[in-house]
Amino acid sequence: MDLVFRSWATRNHRCAVILLGMVLALAACDSGRNPTADAPESTIGQGDTPVQVDTAAHVDTAIGTESAPQPKSLSAIEAEVPENPLKVAYFGEIHVHTSYSLDAYIAGTRLTPDMAYRFARGETMTVNGEPHTIGKPLDFAAVTDHAEYMGEMYSTQVVGAKGHDNPQLQELRSLAGLEQQEAWFLKYVVAPARSGQGGHPSFYAGEATARSAWELAIKAAAENYEPGVFSTLAGFEWSAAPGGANMHRNILFRGLNVPELPFSSIDSSDEEKLWDWMEQQEIAGRRLTAIPHNSNASKGLMFESVDNSGNPITIAYAERRSHFERLIEVMQVKGNSEVHRSFWPADEFADFENGDSIQDYSERTFQKQDFLRAALTLGLGYDLQLGQNPYKLGFVGGSDSHNGTPGDVLEGNYIGSHGGADGTVERRRESDIAGWIMGRDANPGSLTGVWASKNTRAEIWDALRARETFATSG
């Protein structure tokens, strides 16, 4: 169903819950969990020559007996999960970064994709030097590390990996403190990019390292999947920022049959080229979806009236965009993207988590068309004009945590979202977060809710695809 987004806020306590369509009964959080064994095998590759990732099957077998039970297939385990035809509200996190995102590593994050999924399930992890956990385990999660520099981070962290002994990476591993690491990042990554060199930095050791990092992420998704209890979605972030305009998308797959490599903004910073790539994945039998975020920082580009060739939007464009992008992230640590008090002053709730200091960076200035309320109206106009709405969007929430901590959005337990950049109360009051926003304007982020008949990977993805979603502000 298509749901209507609305926000309600209690400003003093910032305890707003952003609802879509209907008020949730909290009792729906009881997902009828049924612990089952996990016997995944993930397939990474293209065409007829996939690369197999060996993942252990967690099953009990009688050793040395002729009547030893055979391990159940993953599909059989999923089929045994009870269904609720009325559907259940499941809560998860589909936007989180680990140490395999370069900016997260620079900020001090050392949690891996496997550790991130375990954190989402309630395990305690060391974050910013202290033990940390979430109050309640999530129902599902997706690690979405940046496709850009994924291979470089594999070389950095895996002993014996190609490029691990590169002098620049040796220097990076020896640095202590955020300031030194940020200076390294500016010297070896940012400065060359600003000079027009673009592409991978000089310490990139080749495509094989990116494949290895991607395989590691898929392996973590496979091994942490427990149908009926906790679902994992394979994904990554495409992080294009032409002229400093945020055009980022998170890409989520329905299954673990994924391409050998993700598509990065180094391949192309044009979202229409991203859709071309997604189309090729569909031809290869894969199902995937793209979810934009932070339209509030897109400099008017997220919902333009023209395509990237400068031509007015056509029905073909509208149909294509609506096919690949059926959802949008409405709330995260860098503010809400639905509404701003400057453009809807009559709305008494339009001043909730506006993230004003985003405009202090990258020459960003808020425009009305950056916000979803304007985009929804534009979409209705295109529907009347063309017969197709490019902005018929469901809504999800995220944290964009760069700590490797999915679902870490509880205000009373909040320790920041970007490692050392906002890892103390003082920095959250006085410093900025990764050149994006002042810490005082940030917030703990959001969760995604879906209505699904059971908690399995396919059912969660299908609910996202069907736009049967909602978002919270914490």
Side-chain angles (χ1 to χ4, degrees):
M1 66 184 73
D2 297 323
L3 304 177
V4 179
F5 176 91
R6 186 65 184 148
S7 64
W8 170 85
T10 300
R11 184 171 178 81
N12 289 338
H13 300 287
R14 295 200 312 167
C15 61
V17 177
I18 297 175
L19 300 179
L20 303 177
M22 61 188 73
V23 177
L24 296 175
L26 295 180
C29 297
D30 180 6
S31 56
R33 289 176 172 173
N34 179 27
T36 56
D38 168 32
E41 180 175 306
S42 65
T43 304
I44 302 178
Q46 298 178 345
D48 299 324
T49 58
V51 178
Q52 297 295 325
V53 176
D54 184 20
T55 57
H58 305 294
V59 293
D60 295 325
T61 57
I63 306 299
T65 64
E66 293 183 0
S67 60
Q70 295 299 309
K72 291 182 179 179
S73 69
L74 179 59
S75 59
I77 295 171
E78 290 173 327
E80 292 176 351
V81 177
E83 290 194 49
N84 184 336
L86 298 180
K87 301 193 176 180
V88 173
Y90 295 105
F91 292 84
E93 163 77 285
I94 54 176
H95 188 182
V96 67
H97 297 270
T98 75
S99 62
Y100 280 79
S101 288
L102 177 54
D103 53 351
Y105 185 92
I106 290 295
T109 295
R110 296 297 181 267
L111 268 62
T112 65
D114 175 71
M115 296 166 77
Y117 285 125
R118 287 158 49 199
F119 180 89
R121 299 195 65 175
E123 285 194 36
T124 298
M125 295 292 168
T126 299
V127 183
N128 294 333
E130 301 290 338
H132 190 59
T133 187
I134 53 176
K136 182 178 181 179
L138 300 179
D139 297 311
F140 62 92
V143 169
T144 53
D145 280 315
H146 299 291
E148 303 77 17
Y149 314 133
M150 189 179 287
E152 289 86 330
M153 299 322 300
Y154 186 83
S155 295
T156 300
Q157 299 176 78
V158 178
V159 176
K162 186 178 180 181
H164 184 74
D165 57 355
N166 184 287
Q168 294 171 4
L169 295 183
Q170 290 178 342
E171 179 184 354
L172 173 61
R173 291 191 295 270
S174 71
L175 298 177
L178 180 65
E179 288 72 21
Q180 290 185 16
Q181 291 172 321
E182 287 183 338
W184 181 96
F185 182 58
L186 180 64
K187 178 179 179 181
Y188 292 119
V189 181
V190 177
R194 287 176 177 172
S195 69
Q197 295 180 26
H200 289 278
S202 59
F203 52 86
Y204 179 53
E207 190 175 279
T209 61
R211 283 199 300 269
S212 294
W214 181 228
E215 289 177 11
L216 182 148
I218 304 309
K219 184 174 186 289
E223 292 182 340
N224 287 280
Y225 178 34
E226 188 174 356
V229 177
F230 181 71
S231 291
T232 59
L233 297 171
F236 65 90
E237 180 175 323
W238 176 80
S239 306
N246 182 82
M247 296 293 282
H248 299 188
R249 269 86 167 162
N250 288 319
I251 312 301
L252 300 181
F253 293 85
R254 188 176 189 268
L256 298 190
N257 177 13
V258 298
E260 288 183 347
L261 284 170
F263 187 84
S264 78
S265 62
I266 296 174
D267 298 310
S268 177
S269 61
D270 181 340
E271 72 276 10
E272 295 176 40
K273 298 297 183 184
L274 172 66
W275 301 339
D276 290 342
W277 179 84
M278 294 177 68
E279 188 172 42
Q280 291 303 309
Q281 303 312 309
E282 290 187 335
I283 292 171
R286 304 180 179 105
R287 299 189 66 187
L288 65 170
T289 193
I291 307 174
H293 61 267
N294 280 118
S295 65
N296 58 346
S298 66
K299 294 186 175 183
L301 297 185
M302 189 68 79
F303 307 114
E304 282 188 295
S305 59
V306 296
D307 63 20
N308 285 349
S309 297
N311 300 314
I313 288 178
T314 64
I315 186 172
Y317 174 97
E319 289 175 345
R320 196 162 186 247
R321 180 160 184 164
S322 183
H323 174 74
F324 289 118
E325 300 187 357
R326 298 170 63 82
L327 299 164
I328 195 162
E329 186 179 282
V330 67
M331 182 76 186
Q332 63 134 267
V333 296
K334 302 182 188 84
N336 98 77
S337 291
E338 182 228 3
V339 63
H340 191 281
R341 65 186 183 282
S342 297
F343 309 114
W344 290 274
D347 185 340
E348 61 185 306
F349 302 121
D351 63 351
F352 176 71
E353 299 294 3
N354 283 163
D356 290 328
S357 59
I358 286 175
Q359 300 173 100
D360 297 337
Y361 303 91
S362 300
E363 299 179 345
R364 299 184 182 106
T365 301
F366 289 153
Q367 303 176 45
K368 188 173 184 178
Q369 71 187 68
D370 290 333
F371 293 90
L372 301 183
R373 188 172 294 182
L376 296 179
T377 305
L378 290 171
L380 294 175
Y382 284 119
D383 197 25
L384 290 173
Q385 176 186 348
L386 302 174
Q388 177 65 46
N389 184 349
Y391 308 135
K392 187 176 182 179
L393 298 165
F395 302 99
V396 299
S399 71
D400 194 14
S401 170
H402 281 56
N403 289 342
T405 52
D408 192 22
V409 299
L410 184 64
E411 291 195 1
N413 194 33
Y414 188 55
I415 60 169
S417 62
H418 283 66
D422 63 346
T424 66
V425 172
E426 291 73 23
R427 292 195 68 93
R428 290 194 288 277
R429 287 174 174 168
E430 305 297 336
S431 301
D432 70 7
I433 301 176
W436 250 93
I437 189 173
M438 290 300 295
R440 63 178 178 270
D441 274 345
N443 68 91
S446 177
L447 295 179
T448 290
V450 302
W451 293 104
S453 59
K454 61 181 180 179
N455 188 359
T456 61
R457 180 179 290 132
E459 291 290 339
I460 296 297
W461 190 92
D462 287 347
L464 291 167
R465 173 74 183 170
R467 309 186 186 100
E468 295 198 23
T469 62
F470 54 94
T472 76
S473 67

mmCIF file of all heavy atoms in Angstrom, residues 147-156 162-164 166 168-169 184 188-189 198-213 261-262 264 266-267:
data_model
loop_
_atom_site.group_PDB
_atom_site.id
_atom_site.type_symbol
_atom_site.label_atom_id
_atom_site.label_comp_id
_atom_site.label_asym_id
_atom_site.label_seq_id
_atom_site.Cartn_x
_atom_site.Cartn_y
_atom_site.Cartn_z
ATOM 1 N N ALA A 147 30.791 1.780 -1.430
ATOM 2 C CA ALA A 147 31.444 1.010 -2.495
ATOM 3 C C ALA A 147 32.806 1.602 -2.824
ATOM 4 O O ALA A 147 33.729 0.881 -3.213
ATOM 5 C CB ALA A 147 30.555 0.985 -3.737
ATOM 6 N N GLU A 148 32.930 2.907 -2.671
ATOM 7 C CA GLU A 148 34.193 3.586 -2.928
ATOM 8 C C GLU A 148 35.215 3.218 -1.841
ATOM 9 O O GLU A 148 34.916 3.319 -0.660
ATOM 10 C CB GLU A 148 33.986 5.105 -2.942
ATOM 11 C CG GLU A 148 32.963 5.595 -3.947
ATOM 12 C CD GLU A 148 31.518 5.397 -3.539
ATOM 13 O OE1 GLU A 148 31.268 5.177 -2.333
ATOM 14 O OE2 GLU A 148 30.646 5.450 -4.425
ATOM 15 N N TYR A 149 36.386 2.808 -2.251
ATOM 16 C CA TYR A 149 37.527 2.521 -1.346
ATOM 17 C C TYR A 149 37.336 1.266 -0.511
ATOM 18 O O TYR A 149 38.078 1.038 0.447
ATOM 19 C CB TYR A 149 37.809 3.716 -0.426
ATOM 20 C CG TYR A 149 37.837 5.054 -1.109
ATOM 21 C CD1 TYR A 149 37.144 6.145 -0.577
ATOM 22 C CD2 TYR A 149 38.539 5.243 -2.311
ATOM 23 C CE1 TYR A 149 37.156 7.383 -1.214
ATOM 24 C CE2 TYR A 149 38.552 6.474 -2.950
ATOM 25 C CZ TYR A 149 37.857 7.537 -2.400
ATOM 26 O OH TYR A 149 37.865 8.760 -3.024
ATOM 27 N N MET A 150 36.372 0.425 -0.853
ATOM 28 C CA MET A 150 36.166 -0.811 -0.108
ATOM 29 C C MET A 150 37.413 -1.700 -0.186
ATOM 30 O O MET A 150 37.842 -2.301 0.806
ATOM 31 C CB MET A 150 34.932 -1.536 -0.672
ATOM 32 C CG MET A 150 34.459 -2.721 0.130
ATOM 33 S SD MET A 150 32.987 -3.484 -0.618
ATOM 34 C CE MET A 150 31.722 -2.275 -0.220
ATOM 35 N N GLY A 151 38.005 -1.786 -1.374
ATOM 36 C CA GLY A 151 39.209 -2.591 -1.531
ATOM 37 C C GLY A 151 40.380 -2.035 -0.755
ATOM 38 O O GLY A 151 41.189 -2.781 -0.182
ATOM 39 N N GLU A 152 40.499 -0.706 -0.728
ATOM 40 C CA GLU A 152 41.568 -0.073 0.024
ATOM 41 C C GLU A 152 41.470 -0.420 1.517
ATOM 42 O O GLU A 152 42.498 -0.614 2.186
ATOM 43 C CB GLU A 152 41.513 1.445 -0.152
ATOM 44 C CG GLU A 152 41.921 1.928 -1.527
ATOM 45 C CD GLU A 152 40.791 1.950 -2.546
ATOM 46 O OE1 GLU A 152 39.861 1.119 -2.438
ATOM 47 O OE2 GLU A 152 40.821 2.786 -3.447
ATOM 48 N N MET A 153 40.258 -0.504 2.022
ATOM 49 C CA MET A 153 40.089 -0.822 3.436
ATOM 50 C C MET A 153 40.371 -2.294 3.714
ATOM 51 O O MET A 153 40.800 -2.659 4.815
ATOM 52 C CB MET A 153 38.684 -0.439 3.907
ATOM 53 C CG MET A 153 38.396 1.051 3.776
ATOM 54 S SD MET A 153 39.815 2.102 4.187
ATOM 55 C CE MET A 153 40.135 1.652 5.882
ATOM 56 N N TYR A 154 40.163 -3.152 2.712
ATOM 57 C CA TYR A 154 40.547 -4.554 2.868
ATOM 58 C C TYR A 154 42.061 -4.661 2.974
ATOM 59 O O TYR A 154 42.593 -5.353 3.853
ATOM 60 C CB TYR A 154 40.039 -5.359 1.678
ATOM 61 C CG TYR A 154 40.250 -6.852 1.814
ATOM 62 C CD1 TYR A 154 39.353 -7.632 2.536
ATOM 63 C CD2 TYR A 154 41.351 -7.476 1.225
ATOM 64 C CE1 TYR A 154 39.546 -8.995 2.672
ATOM 65 C CE2 TYR A 154 41.548 -8.841 1.353
ATOM 66 C CZ TYR A 154 40.650 -9.598 2.084
ATOM 67 O OH TYR A 154 40.848 -10.951 2.222
ATOM 68 N N SER A 155 42.774 -3.948 2.119
ATOM 69 C CA SER A 155 44.238 -3.941 2.191
ATOM 70 C C SER A 155 44.721 -3.401 3.526
ATOM 71 O O SER A 155 45.702 -3.889 4.097
ATOM 72 C CB SER A 155 44.823 -3.091 1.053
ATOM 73 O OG SER A 155 44.555 -3.650 -0.210
ATOM 74 N N THR A 156 44.039 -2.394 4.039
ATOM 75 C CA THR A 156 44.445 -1.774 5.302
ATOM 76 C C THR A 156 44.351 -2.744 6.466
ATOM 77 O O THR A 156 45.253 -2.808 7.316
ATOM 78 C CB THR A 156 43.557 -0.553 5.592
ATOM 79 O OG1 THR A 156 43.686 0.398 4.524
ATOM 80 C CG2 THR A 156 43.938 0.115 6.900
ATOM 81 N N LYS A 162 46.891 -8.091 -0.507
ATOM 82 C CA LYS A 162 47.649 -7.300 -1.471
ATOM 83 C C LYS A 162 47.552 -5.824 -1.093
ATOM 84 O O LYS A 162 46.479 -5.305 -0.853
ATOM 85 C CB LYS A 162 47.088 -7.520 -2.872
ATOM 86 C CG LYS A 162 47.900 -6.854 -3.978
ATOM 87 C CD LYS A 162 47.316 -7.166 -5.350
ATOM 88 C CE LYS A 162 48.138 -6.496 -6.450
ATOM 89 N NZ LYS A 162 47.584 -6.775 -7.800
ATOM 90 N N GLY A 163 48.712 -5.167 -1.020
ATOM 91 C CA GLY A 163 48.751 -3.755 -0.664
ATOM 92 C C GLY A 163 48.844 -3.475 0.824
ATOM 93 O O GLY A 163 48.995 -2.318 1.229
ATOM 94 N N HIS A 164 48.778 -4.519 1.657
ATOM 95 C CA HIS A 164 48.800 -4.298 3.103
ATOM 96 C C HIS A 164 50.094 -3.624 3.545
ATOM 97 O O HIS A 164 50.096 -2.850 4.518
ATOM 98 C CB HIS A 164 48.619 -5.626 3.832
ATOM 99 C CG HIS A 164 48.532 -5.499 5.327
ATOM 100 N ND1 HIS A 164 47.414 -5.018 5.958
ATOM 101 C CD2 HIS A 164 49.434 -5.768 6.317
ATOM 102 C CE1 HIS A 164 47.602 -5.009 7.275
ATOM 103 N NE2 HIS A 164 48.828 -5.448 7.517
ATOM 104 N N ASN A 166 51.780 -1.425 1.869
ATOM 105 C CA ASN A 166 51.976 -0.119 1.253
ATOM 106 C C ASN A 166 52.397 0.897 2.323
ATOM 107 O O ASN A 166 51.781 0.964 3.386
ATOM 108 C CB ASN A 166 50.670 0.331 0.583
ATOM 109 C CG ASN A 166 50.808 1.647 -0.158
ATOM 110 O OD1 ASN A 166 50.905 2.698 0.461
ATOM 111 N ND2 ASN A 166 50.771 1.590 -1.473
ATOM 112 N N GLN A 168 51.924 4.027 2.698
ATOM 113 C CA GLN A 168 50.870 4.948 3.128
ATOM 114 C C GLN A 168 49.903 4.269 4.095
ATOM 115 O O GLN A 168 49.434 4.884 5.055
ATOM 116 C CB GLN A 168 50.129 5.495 1.910
ATOM 117 C CG GLN A 168 51.003 6.376 1.027
ATOM 118 C CD GLN A 168 50.327 6.736 -0.283
ATOM 119 O OE1 GLN A 168 49.169 6.397 -0.511
ATOM 120 N NE2 GLN A 168 51.062 7.411 -1.142
ATOM 121 N N LEU A 169 49.614 2.994 3.852
ATOM 122 C CA LEU A 169 48.731 2.268 4.763
ATOM 123 C C LEU A 169 49.449 1.909 6.050
ATOM 124 O O LEU A 169 48.824 1.864 7.128
ATOM 125 C CB LEU A 169 48.185 1.018 4.073
ATOM 126 C CG LEU A 169 47.275 1.291 2.868
ATOM 127 C CD1 LEU A 169 46.720 -0.013 2.304
ATOM 128 C CD2 LEU A 169 46.137 2.234 3.241
ATOM 129 N N TRP A 184 45.899 12.686 7.422
ATOM 130 C CA TRP A 184 46.305 11.661 6.454
ATOM 131 C C TRP A 184 45.262 11.557 5.337
ATOM 132 O O TRP A 184 45.604 11.486 4.147
ATOM 133 C CB TRP A 184 46.463 10.325 7.179
ATOM 134 C CG TRP A 184 46.901 9.178 6.315
ATOM 135 C CD1 TRP A 184 48.170 8.714 6.141
ATOM 136 C CD2 TRP A 184 46.055 8.337 5.515
ATOM 137 N NE1 TRP A 184 48.182 7.647 5.278
ATOM 138 C CE2 TRP A 184 46.880 7.396 4.873
ATOM 139 C CE3 TRP A 184 44.689 8.290 5.264
ATOM 140 C CZ2 TRP A 184 46.389 6.420 4.014
ATOM 141 C CZ3 TRP A 184 44.196 7.330 4.401
ATOM 142 C CH2 TRP A 184 45.036 6.403 3.778
ATOM 143 N N TYR A 188 46.154 12.184 1.333
ATOM 144 C CA TYR A 188 46.246 11.089 0.375
ATOM 145 C C TYR A 188 44.954 10.809 -0.393
ATOM 146 O O TYR A 188 44.988 10.136 -1.424
ATOM 147 C CB TYR A 188 46.688 9.810 1.087
ATOM 148 C CG TYR A 188 48.105 9.865 1.597
ATOM 149 C CD1 TYR A 188 48.374 9.740 2.957
ATOM 150 C CD2 TYR A 188 49.179 10.042 0.732
ATOM 151 C CE1 TYR A 188 49.679 9.788 3.440
ATOM 152 C CE2 TYR A 188 50.486 10.083 1.197
ATOM 153 C CZ TYR A 188 50.730 9.959 2.545
ATOM 154 O OH TYR A 188 52.017 10.004 3.018
ATOM 155 N N VAL A 189 43.824 11.298 0.094
ATOM 156 C CA VAL A 189 42.546 11.009 -0.571
ATOM 157 C C VAL A 189 41.854 12.281 -1.048
ATOM 158 O O VAL A 189 41.542 12.422 -2.236
ATOM 159 C CB VAL A 189 41.605 10.218 0.368
ATOM 160 C CG1 VAL A 189 40.283 9.913 -0.343
ATOM 161 C CG2 VAL A 189 42.270 8.923 0.825
ATOM 162 N N GLY A 198 40.896 12.307 -9.240
ATOM 163 C CA GLY A 198 39.748 11.410 -9.162
ATOM 164 C C GLY A 198 40.173 9.957 -9.043
ATOM 165 O O GLY A 198 41.332 9.631 -8.809
ATOM 166 N N GLY A 199 39.223 9.060 -9.217
ATOM 167 C CA GLY A 199 39.515 7.635 -9.179
ATOM 168 C C GLY A 199 39.985 7.171 -7.819
ATOM 169 O O GLY A 199 39.743 7.807 -6.788
ATOM 170 N N HIS A 200 40.683 6.044 -7.825
ATOM 171 C CA HIS A 200 41.190 5.468 -6.591
ATOM 172 C C HIS A 200 42.461 6.181 -6.152
ATOM 173 O O HIS A 200 43.218 6.687 -6.984
ATOM 174 C CB HIS A 200 41.473 3.983 -6.793
ATOM 175 C CG HIS A 200 40.243 3.140 -6.930
ATOM 176 N ND1 HIS A 200 39.524 2.704 -5.837
ATOM 177 C CD2 HIS A 200 39.607 2.655 -8.023
ATOM 178 C CE1 HIS A 200 38.498 1.980 -6.257
ATOM 179 N NE2 HIS A 200 38.515 1.938 -7.571
ATOM 180 N N PRO A 201 42.733 6.201 -4.848
ATOM 181 C CA PRO A 201 43.988 6.788 -4.373
ATOM 182 C C PRO A 201 45.181 5.920 -4.749
ATOM 183 O O PRO A 201 45.023 4.780 -5.199
ATOM 184 C CB PRO A 201 43.790 6.846 -2.855
ATOM 185 C CG PRO A 201 42.773 5.796 -2.554
ATOM 186 C CD PRO A 201 41.871 5.747 -3.746
ATOM 187 N N SER A 202 46.373 6.448 -4.526
ATOM 188 C CA SER A 202 47.588 5.772 -4.974
ATOM 189 C C SER A 202 47.840 4.451 -4.268
ATOM 190 O O SER A 202 48.578 3.601 -4.773
ATOM 191 C CB SER A 202 48.796 6.700 -4.780
ATOM 192 O OG SER A 202 48.925 7.069 -3.414
ATOM 193 N N PHE A 203 47.224 4.245 -3.094
ATOM 194 C CA PHE A 203 47.464 3.001 -2.361
ATOM 195 C C PHE A 203 46.462 1.895 -2.715
ATOM 196 O O PHE A 203 46.435 0.847 -2.070
ATOM 197 C CB PHE A 203 47.462 3.258 -0.843
ATOM 198 C CG PHE A 203 46.260 3.995 -0.329
ATOM 199 C CD1 PHE A 203 45.104 3.327 0.022
ATOM 200 C CD2 PHE A 203 46.296 5.381 -0.181
ATOM 201 C CE1 PHE A 203 44.003 4.006 0.502
ATOM 202 C CE2 PHE A 203 45.199 6.074 0.318
ATOM 203 C CZ PHE A 203 44.047 5.395 0.659
ATOM 204 N N TYR A 204 45.657 2.122 -3.736
ATOM 205 C CA TYR A 204 44.719 1.088 -4.197
ATOM 206 C C TYR A 204 45.503 -0.063 -4.819
ATOM 207 O O TYR A 204 46.329 0.148 -5.708
ATOM 208 C CB TYR A 204 43.759 1.692 -5.211
ATOM 209 C CG TYR A 204 42.744 0.741 -5.800
ATOM 210 C CD1 TYR A 204 41.927 -0.036 -4.989
ATOM 211 C CD2 TYR A 204 42.578 0.655 -7.187
ATOM 212 C CE1 TYR A 204 40.977 -0.880 -5.523
ATOM 213 C CE2 TYR A 204 41.619 -0.186 -7.740
ATOM 214 C CZ TYR A 204 40.823 -0.959 -6.906
ATOM 215 O OH TYR A 204 39.878 -1.795 -7.449
ATOM 216 N N ALA A 205 45.245 -1.288 -4.378
ATOM 217 C CA ALA A 205 46.015 -2.454 -4.816
ATOM 218 C C ALA A 205 45.302 -3.283 -5.870
ATOM 219 O O ALA A 205 45.733 -4.391 -6.181
ATOM 220 C CB ALA A 205 46.364 -3.329 -3.614
ATOM 221 N N GLY A 206 44.209 -2.772 -6.412
ATOM 222 C CA GLY A 206 43.563 -3.477 -7.512
ATOM 223 C C GLY A 206 42.193 -4.034 -7.194
ATOM 224 O O GLY A 206 41.776 -4.121 -6.026
ATOM 225 N N GLU A 207 41.508 -4.424 -8.267
ATOM 226 C CA GLU A 207 40.120 -4.856 -8.179
ATOM 227 C C GLU A 207 39.934 -6.080 -7.289
ATOM 228 O O GLU A 207 38.892 -6.248 -6.650
ATOM 229 C CB GLU A 207 39.611 -5.141 -9.590
ATOM 230 C CG GLU A 207 38.134 -5.365 -9.698
ATOM 231 C CD GLU A 207 37.689 -5.519 -11.138
ATOM 232 O OE1 GLU A 207 37.520 -4.491 -11.821
ATOM 233 O OE2 GLU A 207 37.527 -6.681 -11.577
ATOM 234 N N ALA A 208 40.934 -6.939 -7.221
ATOM 235 C CA ALA A 208 40.801 -8.149 -6.408
ATOM 236 C C ALA A 208 40.574 -7.818 -4.942
ATOM 237 O O ALA A 208 39.868 -8.542 -4.233
ATOM 238 C CB ALA A 208 42.040 -9.023 -6.570
ATOM 239 N N THR A 209 41.146 -6.719 -4.472
ATOM 240 C CA THR A 209 40.939 -6.344 -3.070
ATOM 241 C C THR A 209 39.498 -5.917 -2.824
ATOM 242 O O THR A 209 38.928 -6.216 -1.775
ATOM 243 C CB THR A 209 41.898 -5.214 -2.661
ATOM 244 O OG1 THR A 209 41.642 -4.048 -3.470
ATOM 245 C CG2 THR A 209 43.348 -5.629 -2.850
ATOM 246 N N ALA A 210 38.898 -5.225 -3.796
ATOM 247 C CA ALA A 210 37.492 -4.833 -3.662
ATOM 248 C C ALA A 210 36.593 -6.064 -3.673
ATOM 249 O O ALA A 210 35.614 -6.142 -2.916
ATOM 250 C CB ALA A 210 37.106 -3.867 -4.776
ATOM 251 N N ARG A 211 36.909 -7.045 -4.529
ATOM 252 C CA ARG A 211 36.130 -8.284 -4.547
ATOM 253 C C ARG A 211 36.211 -8.995 -3.197
ATOM 254 O O ARG A 211 35.213 -9.505 -2.684
ATOM 255 C CB ARG A 211 36.609 -9.203 -5.666
ATOM 256 C CG ARG A 211 36.129 -8.810 -7.050
ATOM 257 C CD ARG A 211 36.231 -9.976 -8.028
ATOM 258 N NE ARG A 211 37.608 -10.429 -8.156
ATOM 259 C CZ ARG A 211 38.473 -9.962 -9.062
ATOM 260 N NH1 ARG A 211 38.086 -9.019 -9.908
ATOM 261 N NH2 ARG A 211 39.695 -10.423 -9.123
ATOM 262 N N SER A 212 37.404 -9.022 -2.622
ATOM 263 C CA SER A 212 37.574 -9.700 -1.335
ATOM 264 C C SER A 212 36.772 -9.006 -0.235
ATOM 265 O O SER A 212 36.160 -9.665 0.612
ATOM 266 C CB SER A 212 39.055 -9.731 -0.960
ATOM 267 O OG SER A 212 39.790 -10.539 -1.864
ATOM 268 N N ALA A 213 36.778 -7.669 -0.242
ATOM 269 C CA ALA A 213 35.998 -6.937 0.758
ATOM 270 C C ALA A 213 34.510 -7.201 0.599
ATOM 271 O O ALA A 213 33.781 -7.384 1.591
ATOM 272 C CB ALA A 213 36.295 -5.444 0.636
ATOM 273 N N LEU A 261 31.237 -7.324 -7.942
ATOM 274 C CA LEU A 261 31.634 -6.039 -7.382
ATOM 275 C C LEU A 261 30.423 -5.113 -7.286
ATOM 276 O O LEU A 261 29.539 -5.156 -8.151
ATOM 277 C CB LEU A 261 32.694 -5.363 -8.258
ATOM 278 C CG LEU A 261 34.130 -5.883 -8.189
ATOM 279 C CD1 LEU A 261 34.960 -5.242 -9.296
ATOM 280 C CD2 LEU A 261 34.736 -5.587 -6.826
ATOM 281 N N PRO A 262 30.366 -4.267 -6.274
ATOM 282 C CA PRO A 262 29.335 -3.219 -6.250
ATOM 283 C C PRO A 262 29.694 -2.113 -7.229
ATOM 284 O O PRO A 262 30.814 -2.048 -7.735
ATOM 285 C CB PRO A 262 29.378 -2.725 -4.803
ATOM 286 C CG PRO A 262 30.757 -3.012 -4.340
ATOM 287 C CD PRO A 262 31.206 -4.251 -5.056
ATOM 288 N N SER A 264 30.284 1.798 -7.843
ATOM 289 C CA SER A 264 30.663 2.945 -7.020
ATOM 290 C C SER A 264 30.579 4.233 -7.815
ATOM 291 O O SER A 264 30.469 4.229 -9.051
ATOM 292 C CB SER A 264 32.090 2.767 -6.489
ATOM 293 O OG SER A 264 33.042 3.071 -7.490
ATOM 294 N N ILE A 266 32.979 6.055 -8.287
ATOM 295 C CA ILE A 266 34.187 6.091 -9.116
ATOM 296 C C ILE A 266 33.874 5.537 -10.500
ATOM 297 O O ILE A 266 34.401 6.007 -11.513
ATOM 298 C CB ILE A 266 35.328 5.303 -8.437
ATOM 299 C CG1 ILE A 266 35.705 5.983 -7.119
ATOM 300 C CG2 ILE A 266 36.549 5.204 -9.341
ATOM 301 C CD1 ILE A 266 36.725 5.210 -6.297
ATOM 302 N N ASP A 267 32.981 4.547 -10.562
ATOM 303 C CA ASP A 267 32.513 4.043 -11.862
ATOM 304 C C ASP A 267 31.706 5.107 -12.587
ATOM 305 O O ASP A 267 31.864 5.312 -13.782
ATOM 306 C CB ASP A 267 31.668 2.780 -11.667
ATOM 307 C CG ASP A 267 32.447 1.652 -11.032
ATOM 308 O OD1 ASP A 267 33.547 1.343 -11.508
ATOM 309 O OD2 ASP A 267 31.942 1.088 -10.042
#
